[in-house]
Amino acid sequence: MCGLQRRTTVVFLFGCRPLLLRSGADMGRYFHSEVDIKSPWHQVLVAFWQRYPNPHSAHVLTEDVLYREVTPSNHLLSRKLMTKTNRLPGWAERIFPTHMARAVYILEDSIVDPQTNTFITKTWNLNHNTLMTVVERCLFQEDICRPSWTKLRREAWIFSNVYGLARPIQEFGLARFKSNQTKAMRGLEFALTRIQTEAPPHFHNDQEEPPDKHKPLPPQTTPTSSQTPRQCV
Amino acid sequence: MNSVGEACTDLKRDYDQCFNRWFAEKFLKGDRSGDPCTETFRKYQLCVQKAIKEKDIPVDGVEFMGPNKDKPES
């Protein structure tokens, strides 16, 4: 779990007595899900890099790559910065009015390993941490039992340091995370559909061969997510 | 998709197109012949890093894979 640092901060609210913020014993909320995506792993990755914008990502305002490197072991490391809207429930807006003024800055670091067909992402917020921190880890792996499918394991740790309000803040954070991950899956499916249905003029020109080795053609062209048993039959 | 630096969106688009092509056509196919996007990335970064400083976005010194350092699973 993420370590919580001991600190005490005094916050003066309008016309209210000061709130004392200090580390609490609450270890936060944990979320995990496993989803089967009906598209091959390499195609999921191509879609992942192109998923913004999509009809479900209005809350994502900007997206930038800050760093990319191919390591000697042929792993692709990436760092992305995103800004997202900061939507709080009414009761939180009244208590933390300054937090409404700024968007949330989010880093997404990732590692692609084409040797093992695994892709790990780690995403967390850079600001608003005095209110709440959300760390998400995703693992995309080729389904070894069904190579035209991809398994996605998603985990999140949601915690707040606000004394006396950590639990409702974490509950709100968990609810918002669940809503966002539904949008994220729909956004990924949108990008997958777009990639699978459009002609690929982007990916080759007169000098290059058209793609052939990685031509993914699962029986159905529409990607879907579903919960299915994990054992190989 | 917009860049955090309003002036950088076109440069971002150029880089993204180059990267997406290289990723699908080269990297995923095991072609290690080099990175054709170095120059577009350099121009894009000049712009976006300036915007990050102007907006005081706290990205400096943040460890890769951040909280609870992660390693790829085998």
Side-chain angles (χ1 to χ4, degrees):
Chain A
M1 281 295 280
C2 304
L4 299 177
Q5 292 177 330
R6 273 192 94 73
R7 59 177 180 272
T8 305
T9 309
V10 178
V11 173
F12 288 89
L13 306 177
F14 301 110
C16 299
R17 59 182 165 80
L19 263 186
L20 213 61
L21 309 180
R22 65 163 199 251
S23 355
D26 197 322
M27 293 302 286
R29 294 301 301 271
Y30 173 71
F31 168 92
H32 77 276
S33 68
E34 294 192 13
V35 173
D36 290 346
I37 302 171
K38 205 170 182 178
S39 293
W41 179 82
H42 58 271
Q43 198 175 65
V44 170
L45 262 63
V46 169
F48 182 85
W49 297 125
Q50 300 181 44
R51 69 197 191 280
Y52 295 136
N54 66 71
H56 311 281
S57 71
H59 61 294
V60 181
L61 302 173
T62 71
E63 178 200 34
D64 285 287
V65 175
L66 301 190
Y67 172 77
R68 277 237 162 85
E69 178 194 346
V70 180
T71 68
S73 57
N74 203 41
H75 292 88
L76 176 67
L77 314 185
S78 302
R79 168 164 283 182
K80 275 191 171 178
L81 169 70
M82 286 168 286
T83 59
K84 299 188 181 180
T85 57
N86 183 33
R87 300 145 297 148
L88 297 179
W91 62 264
E93 282 183 34
R94 287 187 285 278
I95 297 174
F96 301 101
T98 55
H99 282 279
M100 284 303 297
R102 297 190 55 150
V104 187
Y105 297 125
I106 287 163
L107 276 189
E108 173 198 278
D109 286 353
S110 61
I111 303 172
V112 180
D113 183 351
Q115 282 79 228
T116 58
N117 285 4
T118 55
F119 178 46
I120 292 181
T121 72
K122 188 75 87 59
T123 308
W124 69 101
N125 54 304
L126 288 177
N127 62 344
H128 297 293
N129 298 98
T130 50
L131 176 67
M132 178 170 56
T133 297
V134 179
V135 179
E136 178 199 61
R137 181 183 181 274
C138 290
L139 171 61
F140 294 83
Q141 276 181 309
E142 179 184 60
D143 185 339
I144 54 172
C145 303
R146 298 176 296 180
S148 61
W149 291 63
T150 301
K151 289 187 167 299
L152 166 58
R153 178 175 173 80
R154 190 190 298 269
E155 296 175 279
W157 296 265
I158 297 137
F159 58 94
S160 173
N161 271 352
V162 177
Y163 182 68
L165 286 173
R167 285 188 71 181
I169 290 170
Q170 283 164 180
E171 289 305 315
F172 154 71
L174 179 61
R176 189 172 69 176
F177 179 81
K178 287 179 182 174
S179 164
N180 282 351
Q181 73 112 12
T182 302
K183 291 180 191 174
M185 286 311 304
R186 291 201 183 124
L188 185 59
E189 288 173 8
F190 179 87
L192 275 163
T193 302
R194 192 177 59 214
I195 284 166
Q196 288 171 347
T197 56
E198 72 185 1
H202 307 293
F203 296 112
H204 60 91
N205 56 28
D206 290 340
Q207 283 88 34
E208 292 175 14
E209 294 295 326
D212 51 12
K213 254 173 70 172
H214 283 265
K215 200 87 165 174
L217 288 175
Q220 287 87 351
T221 55
T222 305
T224 56
S225 308
S226 59
Q227 306 276 353
T228 57
R230 297 184 65 188
Q231 301 91 335
C232 291
V233 180
Chain B
M1 195 69 216
N2 292 331
S3 169
V4 72
E6 291 81 9
C8 311
T9 296
D10 285 346
L11 293 169
K12 167 187 146 61
R13 193 170 299 131
D14 287 346
Y15 168 70
D16 283 345
Q17 281 178 0
C18 182
F19 170 79
N20 288 330
R21 168 187 271 169
W22 168 83
F23 183 75
E25 294 302 301
K26 302 286 184 188
F27 181 78
L28 286 182
K29 296 186 178 182
D31 184 333
R32 303 195 193 191
S33 59
D35 180 6
C37 307
T38 311
E39 188 55 20
T40 52
F41 188 66
R42 190 189 65 82
K43 289 180 189 164
Y44 168 41
Q45 286 304 297
L46 276 175
C47 185
V48 81
Q49 293 293 341
K50 182 162 170 282
I52 284 170
K53 283 192 173 41
E54 282 168 2
K55 294 180 189 240
D56 213 14
I57 301 176
V59 297
D60 280 346
V62 179
E63 204 174 3
F64 188 68
M65 296 305 266
N68 307 332
K69 267 192 78 164
D70 213 307
K71 290 198 189 325
E73 293 182 5
S74 56

